[in-house]
Amino acid sequence: MLKHGRIIRGYLGIVSRALQSGQESSTDNEGVVIDQVMSGSPAAQAQLQPGDVIRKFNGRDVKNIGTLRNMVAQTELNKNVELEIVRDGKPLKVPTQIKEQPQDYQSSSVLPKRAPLQPQTPRQRSDEEAASSPLAAIHVEELTPEMARQLDLPDNVQGVLVTGVDPDSGVAELQKGDVIEEINQQPVTSVSDYNKIAAALEPSQPQVLSVCRHRARSFLVLRPR
């Protein structure tokens, strides 16, 4: 303030969606799930995408969005930093720079369109791998228009309906009646889609689900058992 006559803030340019009830304690060590990437921001220049999970910031663990904000605030402007993220269950390292936050940043709502994702190639998995995947504990069926009306879901919702979750699976955040719309940023429009994507996942990596519950959408991070 004394040097420039105004407050200068650094920013990364992401929005992290609020966690569902009961999810915070299970994802404290899983990083921050990106919900939106602001156009023209350092995050956009680093080609971060919705559904990416930021695990480390310059080698430091990112436990939640508050931790990430503090790290960004303590970083010198225009300094190169390295983010360690998880995308489609795979770890990646991406470089970026912390820039000065624009004055109209809070009112800006222009978001980049998500690039179409290439389908994953299913691979054969052992019984032990299949059993270790958290998706193995989730039971789904086709979402019908009648069921969507009964659950008061948005008109544009597409996905598979959760009919049950094994009680000892550790997936307590997911409930009967939830709709899984995406797995690791891949759209799920049918049980067939769900099974194909689930079969191609790496069971040792966390999986990011986009879930609709009534009229609220959020991300869930499922850890391997």
Side-chain angles (χ1 to χ4, degrees), residues 77-212:
L77 292 182
N78 302 317
K79 180 178 179 180
N80 293 325
V81 298
E82 183 179 73
L83 304 177
E84 295 185 30
I85 69 171
V86 175
R87 176 181 297 164
D88 294 339
K90 299 177 181 179
L92 296 173
K93 293 183 179 181
V94 294
T96 188
Q97 279 189 342
I98 299 302
K99 299 291 186 179
E100 180 181 351
Q101 179 177 300
Q103 293 183 355
D104 63 347
Y105 173 65
Q106 296 298 334
S107 60
S108 176
S109 60
V110 180
L111 301 176
K113 292 184 178 179
R114 191 184 307 178
L117 294 168
Q118 297 296 323
Q120 294 180 336
T121 302
R123 66 178 180 86
Q124 295 295 323
R125 294 187 302 165
S126 67
D127 292 341
E128 183 178 353
E129 285 183 316
S132 67
S133 171
L135 292 181
I138 303 171
H139 308 283
V140 300
E141 66 180 28
E142 303 289 355
L143 176 65
T144 64
E146 180 181 358
M147 185 59 68
R149 287 192 297 271
Q150 291 181 13
L151 295 172
D152 191 29
L153 298 173
D155 294 336
N156 63 341
V157 68
Q158 287 188 323
V160 293
L161 182 66
V162 176
T163 58
V165 180
D166 293 346
D168 298 328
S169 64
V171 193
E173 302 88 357
L174 204 61
Q175 300 178 8
K176 180 179 179 180
D178 288 348
V179 176
I180 300 174
E181 297 185 279
E182 294 182 354
I183 301 174
N184 289 347
Q185 303 169 274
Q186 298 186 77
V188 176
T189 60
S190 65
V191 172
S192 177
D193 284 347
Y194 179 91
N195 290 335
K196 288 179 181 178
I197 296 172
L201 296 178
E202 177 55 54
S204 64
Q205 296 294 331
Q207 315 300 337
V208 181
L209 306 186
S210 178
V211 177
C212 181

